[in-house]
Amino acid sequence: MAFCVFPNSISFSRPLSPVVQFSNVRTTVSVRNSTAHEPSSSSNASLLLNTLMAFQVLDALGEPLPCANYDSWMVYIPEGEFLSRIGPTEFFKDLEKYASQNAVQEWKKLLDAILPLSTAAMALPPLSIRGDFGVLSTAAARYAPSLLKSFLQMGPQGAFGATKLLRPFSEIMDSLELKDPFIRNWVDLLSFLLAGVKSNGILSAEMVYMFAEWYKPGCCLEYPIHGSGAVVDALVRGLQKFGGRLSLSSHVESIVIENGKAVGVKLRSGQLIRAKKAVVSNASMWDTLRLLPKEILPKSYIDRINMTPQCDSFMHLHIGFDAEGIREDLGIHHIVVNDWNRGVDADQNVVLISVPSVLSPDLAPPGKHVLHAYTPGTEPFGLWEGLDRGSSDYKKLKAERSEVFGYAAFDGNVESCRACAWFRL
């Protein structure tokens, strides 16, 4: 048995399954501090990678998940507003209209260079990819046959190029001398949506994997019917099917170490749960460190964790609104970039908006929609830290910082929502 330690509080940013009151419009704004600067969505700044990983886990568990397909999202950038579609040719049309012919040529150059690498990238599940020598244990050893097959298909030149997969994606762009501002900005945005970092912080393997999935004929994106709750239910079914047990409200006090090996966990209640094989922690590296006896860990390891910077926080807006009179092509996802020059990771510069009830109507009562807007890991938590949530200072800061949502969701970007109600945060 492998025992998994999870954070005491788990929330799902996307897809949204909120509890919303619909007398008119119900809004809530929340700020949640992040716990890692690791490329992660949840970093939902990860829009896509976490969903992809969840599907791979469910495939391994043999748990099907009904999904609705879609192939586009609305983009609102300084150059204009357009419906961005995945597929091999659609984005070239957007580049011609909103960028330049040079951008078209550089985009083609990028695709021509990285798509041949996709054979190797697809041979490695994203869950196994990492940027250190640990990849030898998580990927190379386990997936050696599929890697070898992919190298034979790619030929010597392609196989040599595959060594770039564990380097930052920006290095591939630099080697191709891609300098068009729109292309650099767009790739930074894709990287940020995928992993919460710009192209100089994401492994090439992750980006190549995404490109291979998005820019092939007939590709589509999937949204789980019934929202994130359906994903959780499927994971629980898979866990129980293989003899696992899920314990809720079970605060882990410490990880028990015997003879230098993690053998179980001790709960706050005093109960000791022993693991037959391993203890797997899904808490952050900082929280996991606090669960371990300090004397068993090398000082260099402790220092490295403590010196790892945390990313900023997420600020969320949840709204329920009337669907009457809303245009039918509203779409599920809307991405707003206010200023390329500030960078996609600047605070309040990128706002992500989801209306999941567009694809899964059961997430809202009949005739209603739910909307979830958020700043993806860019809200400085220091602004909020220590403030009493009932104080006037907190309410004032909340009103000021949430204005970015009013612009993104109500100033024409999701124009159907602009007309649905007036609200005050």
Side-chain angles (χ1 to χ4, degrees):
M1 176 181 71
F3 186 85
C4 294
V5 181
F6 291 94
N8 296 319
S9 174
I10 301 177
S11 58
F12 296 87
S13 294
R14 187 191 302 101
L16 174 66
S17 296
V19 177
V20 184
Q21 298 178 4
F22 285 93
S23 56
N24 183 4
V25 171
R26 173 72 174 175
T27 68
T28 62
V29 176
S30 63
V31 176
R32 183 169 66 247
N33 194 20
S34 303
T35 57
H37 189 68
E38 306 156 359
S40 156
S41 140
S42 77
S43 71
N44 202 151
S46 178
L47 178 63
L48 304 162
L49 189 58
N50 277 351
T51 303
L52 179 61
M53 290 181 174
F55 274 94
Q56 289 191 333
V57 171
L58 292 176
D59 285 343
L61 294 173
E63 285 294 329
L65 188 66
C67 292
N69 294 335
Y70 67 104
D71 64 357
S72 61
W73 61 92
M74 278 300 299
V75 177
Y76 310 92
I77 56 178
E79 290 84 353
E81 305 173 2
F82 60 92
L83 186 68
S84 179
R85 296 185 182 276
I86 60 175
T89 61
E90 293 296 328
F91 191 55
F92 284 106
K93 303 174 185 177
D94 299 327
L95 289 174
E96 290 176 353
K97 184 174 182 180
Y98 296 101
S100 64
Q101 192 59 39
N102 182 63
V104 173
Q105 295 172 355
E106 288 202 0
W107 186 253
K108 184 178 185 304
K109 186 177 182 180
L110 178 61
L111 294 183
D112 290 345
I114 64 174
L115 290 184
L117 300 177
S118 64
T119 304
M122 299 294 279
L124 293 176
L127 285 169
S128 68
I129 297 172
R130 52 193 290 180
D132 57 16
F133 287 112
V135 72
L136 297 176
S137 61
T138 61
R142 190 169 190 177
Y143 300 101
S146 57
L147 278 173
L148 179 60
K149 181 180 178 180
S150 69
F151 289 157
L152 292 175
Q153 292 175 347
M154 295 164 65
Q157 185 175 355
F160 177 76
T163 59
K164 301 177 182 178
L165 291 175
L166 298 181
R167 300 295 302 165
F169 191 68
S170 59
E171 293 186 6
I172 290 182
M173 298 183 66
D174 292 340
S175 68
L176 296 172
E177 298 183 344
L178 303 183
K179 299 179 180 180
D180 186 90
F182 189 94
I183 296 300
R184 302 293 301 210
N185 288 329
W186 185 259
V187 171
D188 272 346
L189 178 62
L190 293 181
S191 302
F192 192 64
L193 297 177
L194 184 65
V197 291
K198 294 196 292 188
S199 60
N200 60 358
I202 189 172
L203 293 179
S204 295
E206 296 179 53
M207 287 292 284
V208 172
Y209 195 108
M210 181 272 292
F211 270 83
E213 287 290 295
W214 279 19
Y215 298 106
K216 65 182 180 183
C219 58
C220 67
L221 300 171
E222 296 179 324
Y223 180 86
I225 300 296
H226 313 310
S228 61
V231 179
V232 176
D233 290 342
L235 290 171
V236 172
R237 289 196 304 269
L239 173 72
Q240 295 173 341
K241 181 168 63 178
F242 288 94
R245 178 168 58 91
L246 179 66
S247 300
L248 302 177
S249 301
S250 302
H251 187 105
V252 175
E253 190 72 29
S254 62
I255 297 174
V256 179
I257 306 296
E258 294 179 358
N259 300 319
K261 182 179 179 180
V263 297
V265 296
K266 181 182 178 181
L267 303 185
R268 177 177 289 174
S269 65
Q271 180 183 2
L272 175 63
I273 302 178
R274 286 191 170 271
K276 293 181 179 178
K277 187 173 183 180
V279 175
V280 180
S281 176
N282 193 50
S284 74
M285 64 174 75
W286 302 276
D287 292 316
T288 301
L289 187 62
R290 287 191 286 268
L291 297 174
L292 291 166
K294 290 184 179 181
E295 62 272 12
I296 70 162
L297 297 172
K299 184 177 182 301
S300 58
Y301 178 78
I302 296 175
D303 291 342
R304 181 163 62 87
I305 289 180
N306 288 332
M307 291 175 62
T308 301
Q310 297 187 29
C311 73
D312 286 327
S313 299
F314 288 68
M315 185 167 63
H316 299 267
L317 171 69
H318 299 285
I319 299 177
F321 62 93
D322 248 325
E324 184 179 353
I326 303 301
R327 68 178 193 264
E328 294 184 0
D329 62 344
L330 174 61
I332 179 174
H333 291 309
H334 304 256
I335 301 172
V336 180
V337 180
N338 294 313
D339 185 353
W340 288 124
N341 292 327
R342 296 187 61 217
V344 294
D345 55 352
D347 69 293
Q348 302 213 324
N349 194 31
V350 173
V351 177
L352 305 183
I353 303 168
S354 292
V355 190
S357 48
V358 167
L359 293 182
S360 187
D362 64 311
L363 295 179
K368 311 294 180 180
H369 274 309
V370 288
L371 179 149
H372 174 212
Y374 64 101
T375 54
T378 58
E379 179 68 10
F381 188 70
L383 296 174
W384 304 84
E385 194 169 13
L387 286 179
D388 181 354
R389 295 193 177 190
S391 68
S392 59
D393 287 341
Y394 181 88
K395 294 178 181 178
K396 179 182 178 182
L397 181 63
K398 182 178 177 180
E400 292 174 354
R401 298 298 291 180
S402 60
E403 285 182 3
V404 66
F405 294 132
Y407 168 77
F410 291 87
D411 196 21
N413 287 337
V414 183
E415 50 190 57
S416 57
C417 294
R418 186 182 185 186
C420 72
W422 176 91
F423 73 98
R424 185 172 182 178
L425 300 174

